[in-house]
Amino acid sequence: MHSVVSDILERIRSEYVRTVFQICTLVFFIVIINHISACVWYGITYLVAEDEITWVKTFLRESDSLSYRYATSLHWSLTQFTPAGMEVYAKNE
């Protein structure tokens, strides 16, 4: 992957386009890392016993769609990289 990005950057003559491309590359990797973090955080709730209290049982309803659950997990993951807060947090008892 690194060689592909290097080859593309060598062919770009404009410094502006090169900068925009590098920013887009960084944003892409941040999104991928956040996606993985969100999926792992949501997936961990299925590794615990069913009778334990988890963040999914605390903050989400069974009627919530999978896309809403994913968006909530992704939002939590994004807030871990910024000083922003969120009312959803890790919880087990």
Side-chain angles (χ1 to χ4, degrees):
M1 181 73 174
H2 180 67
S3 63
V4 173
V5 173
S6 296
D7 289 344
I8 291 172
L9 288 175
E10 286 179 13
R11 296 173 192 256
I12 297 174
R13 302 281 184 220
S14 167
E15 191 65 32
Y16 173 77
V17 174
R18 180 178 283 197
T19 303
V20 169
F21 180 77
Q22 289 175 331
I23 290 171
C24 290
T25 303
L26 289 173
V27 169
F28 173 76
F29 284 114
I30 290 171
V31 168
I32 293 298
I33 289 169
N34 279 304
H35 166 75
I36 292 169
S37 175
C39 291
V40 167
W41 190 56
Y42 185 79
I44 286 173
T45 62
Y46 289 101
L47 297 177
V48 298
E50 288 187 23
D51 57 337
E52 289 189 37
I53 297 173
T54 63
W55 73 271
V56 171
K57 293 176 184 172
T58 304
F59 298 107
L60 299 174
R61 298 180 304 266
E62 287 187 30
S63 61
D64 290 336
S65 67
L66 184 60
S67 60
Y68 178 78
R69 291 167 180 255
Y70 173 74
T72 302
S73 296
L74 186 63
H75 183 229
W76 173 84
S77 178
L78 288 169
T79 60
Q80 302 312 300
F81 287 93
T82 64
M86 184 177 182
E87 63 276 353
V88 176
Y89 50 88
K91 178 179 178 104
N92 349 330
E93 290 182 349

